[in-house]
Amino acid sequence: KAGVTQTPRYLIKTRGQQVTLSCSPISGHRSVSWYQQTPGQGLQFLFEYFSETQRNKGNFPGRFSGRQFSNSRSEMNVSTLELGDSALYLCASSLDGRENTEAFFGQGTRLTVV
Amino acid sequence: DQQVKQNSPSLSVQEGRISILNCDYTNSMFDYFLWYKKYPAEGPTFLISISSIKDKNEDGRFTVFLNKSAKHLSLHIVPSQPGDSAVYFCAASRAGNTGKLIFGQGTTLQVKP
């Protein structure tokens, strides 16, 4: 069974640009969550999608957005990039995000904003 | 407001001995707790979880203990192996909301041969 796949693995962008990251969940998993990891703030929850709807949202500005497709694949978008957006962005999938089941993470996308 | 805290940034143990990693939480609505292991530039790997209806869960060398009254959980690794050297995160979620995990800051475990 394939794991969670995130693309691309590495990305370098310039301040002010926008970026789109992709996540393919484990087959059969319908909940996809996104997290940002930085040295100073640790792992922080961005948002969760289930059945193409945003179900939970963390405390990030509106520049961070996401969506989920009918096949459960998800994308997150960051507009007007700032230097502070440099981070490891992680996607996690779980069966439905409701029952007490574990979430499995992808390898992450390392975003560097210059 | 740090709802999940791992107060020890690092821990060093000898191979073969027990490693004990600790985690405290403040939100009494948290119902489900997980431990993840993470290597640099990789995603976290799930280790073990525990529901609030239990106070202990074992899986091989890993055991998680939950003390609800103290809002404290711990991960025991016995025996510790050099390959266990990594950053360990505890995470918590509210009942029926496991799509949103709140993470501690992590503890770096070093197991010396």
Side-chain angles (χ1 to χ4, degrees):
Chain A
K1 198 173 188 181
V4 179
T5 304
Q6 290 187 246
T7 56
R9 288 292 311 275
Y10 303 93
L11 209 47
I12 300 175
K13 289 286 187 178
T14 304
R15 266 184 306 175
Q17 285 186 314
Q18 67 133 22
V19 66
T20 299
L21 312 181
S22 180
C23 173
S24 293
I26 291 172
S27 177
H29 284 192
R30 298 171 63 194
S31 167
V32 175
S33 301
W34 289 88
Y35 296 83
Q36 180 197 65
Q37 186 185 22
T38 58
Q41 298 296 321
L43 271 156
Q44 292 193 292
F45 172 78
L46 279 156
F47 30 65
E48 181 211 5
Y49 284 86
F50 178 82
S51 290
E52 302 178 64
T53 302
Q54 188 180 86
R55 189 161 64 178
N56 278 298
K57 189 177 188 307
N59 298 322
F60 279 82
R63 300 185 297 107
F64 292 82
S65 63
R67 60 177 174 167
Q68 187 180 37
F69 302 94
S70 58
N71 62 357
S72 295
R73 189 178 72 85
S74 177
E75 289 181 348
M76 71 162 278
N77 183 278
V78 188
S79 63
T80 319
L81 283 165
E82 301 176 359
L83 294 178
D85 296 333
S86 294
L88 181 66
Y89 289 88
L90 292 158
C91 160
S93 78
S94 61
L95 279 171
D96 65 4
R98 280 282 184 255
E99 299 298 320
N100 286 347
T101 57
E102 55 270 25
F104 295 91
F105 283 81
Q107 296 275 64
T109 294
R110 169 68 64 185
L111 171 65
T112 302
V113 182
V114 297
Chain B
D1 176 28
Q2 190 72 26
Q3 298 185 70
V4 178
K5 298 179 184 179
Q6 293 175 255
N7 292 317
S8 298
S10 62
L11 175 68
S12 181
V13 300
Q14 287 296 130
E15 180 179 6
R17 307 294 286 267
I18 184 172
S19 295
I20 300 176
L21 297 101
N22 294 303
C23 180
D24 297 297
Y25 61 97
T26 57
N27 191 336
S28 58
M29 299 295 288
F30 286 148
D31 172 75
Y32 185 56
F33 304 89
L34 310 91
W35 284 94
Y36 286 86
K37 172 182 177 182
K38 188 179 184 301
Y39 296 112
E42 291 186 10
T45 301
F46 170 76
L47 283 174
I48 192 168
S49 63
I50 188 166
S51 168
S52 61
I53 62 172
K54 295 184 175 182
D55 54 19
K56 178 182 174 182
N57 190 26
E58 285 182 86
D59 185 0
R61 297 187 297 115
F62 302 93
T63 302
V64 57
F65 295 91
L66 175 63
N67 182 333
K68 289 186 290 293
S69 60
K71 294 190 178 69
H72 176 84
L73 62 154
S74 61
L75 174 68
H76 293 209
I77 306 174
V78 183
S80 300
Q81 299 172 354
D84 295 330
S85 297
V87 180
Y88 288 77
F89 290 93
C90 72
S93 72
R94 297 179 62 167
N97 199 10
T98 54
K100 178 179 179 179
L101 297 176
I102 307 300
F103 283 86
Q105 293 290 88
T107 296
T108 300
L109 172 65
Q110 182 184 28
V111 180
K112 297 179 178 178

